[in-house]
Amino acid sequence: SQKASPGGTDLVIGREMGWTCGSHHANNPLVPTLPLPFGPNAEAFGMTGGGGNYGFADPAAGIAGGFVRNHYCNTFALSSYLVESLYGCLGNV
């Protein structure tokens, strides 16, 4: 995976996001108390969007997923927990 230059901390959310064209390649929790947003594998990447919309892919596990809310919500907790549950169902956590 390619990391965008110059990298560094995202000035809006205050976390390293590993920006590339259309996705994040730094699998850092958006909130330190939440599970990793793209699952347990370092190769996983994705994009969070306004209102809690979310998509990710994990080439190492061979899975991808997305979540679209039907209302605006200013939290990423649900998508992080859904990804954690997916890996738990697959036995990969």
Side-chain angles (χ1 to χ4, degrees), residues 1 20 23-27 38 41-47 55-59:
S1 67
T20 62
S23 65
H24 303 148
H25 281 260
N27 196 10
F38 309 133
N41 297 319
E43 300 84 10
F45 62 94
M47 178 58 105
F56 83 104
D58 183 345

Side-chain angles (χ1 to χ4, degrees), residues 24 47-55 67-76:
H24 303 148
M47 178 58 105
T48 57
N53 299 322
Y54 179 86
F67 175 66
V68 179
R69 298 188 73 104
N70 64 357
H71 64 281
Y72 187 86
C73 183
N74 194 22
T75 180
F76 299 103

Side-chain angles (χ1 to χ4, degrees), residues 15 28-37 75-77 80-81 84:
R15 306 215 29 101
N28 299 326
L30 297 174
V31 177
T33 58
L34 293 178
L36 292 172
T75 180
F76 299 103
S80 292
Y81 289 128
E84 182 181 56

